Amino acid sequence: MKLTVVVDNNTLIDRYLLGEPGVSLLLHDGGRQVLFDCGYSDVLCKNAARLGIDLGELDVVALSHGHLDHTWGLAHLLSLFNARACEGRIGSRPLLVAHPEAFLPKRVSGMFIGSMVSEAALGDHFTMRLTREPLRLTDWLFFLGEIPRRIPFEAPTPLGVRVTPKGAVPDLLPDDSALAYLGEKGLVIITGCAHAGICNIVAHAREVTGERRVSAIIGGLHLHDAAPDRIDAVAAWLAEAGVAALYPCHCTGFAATLALSRVLPVSEVGVGLSLIFE
């Protein structure tokens, strides 16, 4: 499986690509192209063009959750689809995979932070598959569905509200999910923000796949404002789990990245990075 970082907060030296506070990762596995998250703006399309990536040939778009920094790039992706259609280049109809609550309106302190593109509008361009259950995207790549919150130090805390048919409720982000690639050397865990807790995510990926080895984790870990004791607990848990490589990005934060690097093999991440996982 080949993974390319298309959107991230950081960029790599001498690549001359664009960064923004968001995430988008492109995965190639078994001849299928899977886009995980879409970032915040047209940076997704601009970086993809510079990297020689044709977003019109995607097989799957999977969303980690419904926040703006992971979904607003969808509007620009739809514009690209329409531009291709106007030119007579009709691509395949990709599958869009997300949690059923990913497209509910979300707000923090009165600010709208949910998806600007509705589920209905996306249905005009994608085959929609909204699921709480794990879903196999390729022979070896899994969408993990709703993540059980079992580890005490990763107990969920509300982040604003989500607006359900019954009204606004504190948002514990049940829609936060992740991907897991089952490779020869163990699991590669791929996260958007890991609001569900990276340790909860790893534990669930082990249950879904039956594989306990963790060869790598890449993605946002949402530790940028975490208390030091929680960061230390996460670092200790991941070290005990035998994580062989860690690629923290997006919302992890410098202090957390530094603390994690004391007990885990941490590598730099930025737009343009490509990794091969066996």
Side-chain angles (χ1 to χ4, degrees):
M1 187 264 289
K2 179 182 179 181
L3 182 151
T4 301
V5 180
V6 186
V7 177
D8 184 34
N9 298 40
N10 300 313
T11 60
L12 297 181
I13 192 69
D14 293 336
R15 294 306 305 272
Y16 305 105
L17 296 159
L18 302 174
E20 68 175 10
V23 166
S24 183
L25 308 172
L26 182 69
L27 291 74
H28 289 85
D29 181 50
R32 290 172 65 79
Q33 293 194 95
V34 178
L35 187 69
F36 184 56
D37 286 345
C38 295
Y40 175 77
S41 72
D42 64 348
V43 163
L44 165 65
C45 295
K46 288 179 176 177
N47 282 344
R50 293 186 184 186
L51 291 166
I53 296 168
D54 186 354
L55 295 175
E57 297 300 326
L58 296 172
D59 296 291
V60 180
V61 173
L63 299 177
S64 64
H65 62 299
H67 280 165
L68 73 175
D69 48 341
H70 301 259
T71 64
W72 279 21
L74 277 167
H76 301 278
L77 185 59
L78 297 188
S79 294
L80 182 145
F81 288 171
N82 278 340
R84 284 172 54 93
C86 288
E87 297 165 0
R89 296 188 295 152
I90 307 296
S92 59
R93 185 179 176 90
L95 180 70
L96 191 146
V97 180
H99 187 280
E101 298 191 26
F103 298 104
L104 291 179
K106 297 169 179 283
R107 294 184 174 87
V108 169
S109 302
M111 182 177 71
F112 183 77
I113 62 167
S115 173
M116 72 162 67
V117 184
S118 70
E119 178 184 337
L122 289 168
D124 290 334
H125 300 270
F126 294 93
T127 299
M128 303 293 288
R129 182 69 183 273
L130 305 183
T131 177
R132 288 181 168 82
E133 300 302 317
L135 179 67
R136 206 164 196 146
L137 304 180
T138 72
D139 287 344
W140 308 109
L141 183 66
F142 297 79
F143 176 77
L144 293 177
E146 190 164 326
I147 310 293
R149 318 290 177 91
R150 296 170 180 161
I151 295 174
F153 59 80
E154 290 190 326
T157 56
L159 180 57
V161 299
R162 69 184 188 279
V163 183
T164 73
K166 296 182 179 180
V169 298
D171 193 3
L172 296 175
L173 287 153
D175 57 314
D176 185 80
S177 191
L179 305 182
Y181 173 74
L182 180 56
E184 293 180 2
K185 298 180 180 179
L187 294 173
V188 179
I189 309 295
I190 304 153
T191 67
C193 269
H195 290 287
I198 186 57
C199 304
N200 282 320
I201 291 170
V202 171
H204 186 53
R206 285 171 159 177
E207 291 180 1
V208 169
T209 64
E211 172 62 73
R212 294 198 58 81
R213 297 171 300 157
V214 183
S215 66
I217 296 172
I218 181 167
L221 303 182
H222 203 69
L223 296 171
H224 63 93
D225 59 355
D229 58 344
R230 177 176 176 180
I231 294 172
D232 290 343
V234 169
W237 195 97
L238 294 178
E240 178 66 23
V243 175
L246 181 63
Y247 299 86
C249 59
H250 183 41
C251 56
T252 303
F254 177 77
T257 300
L258 188 61
L260 291 165
S261 71
R262 297 190 182 108
V263 296
L264 293 161
V266 170
S267 296
E268 182 181 11
V269 183
V271 179
L273 177 70
S274 286
L275 301 166
I276 303 292
F277 298 106
E278 298 177 353

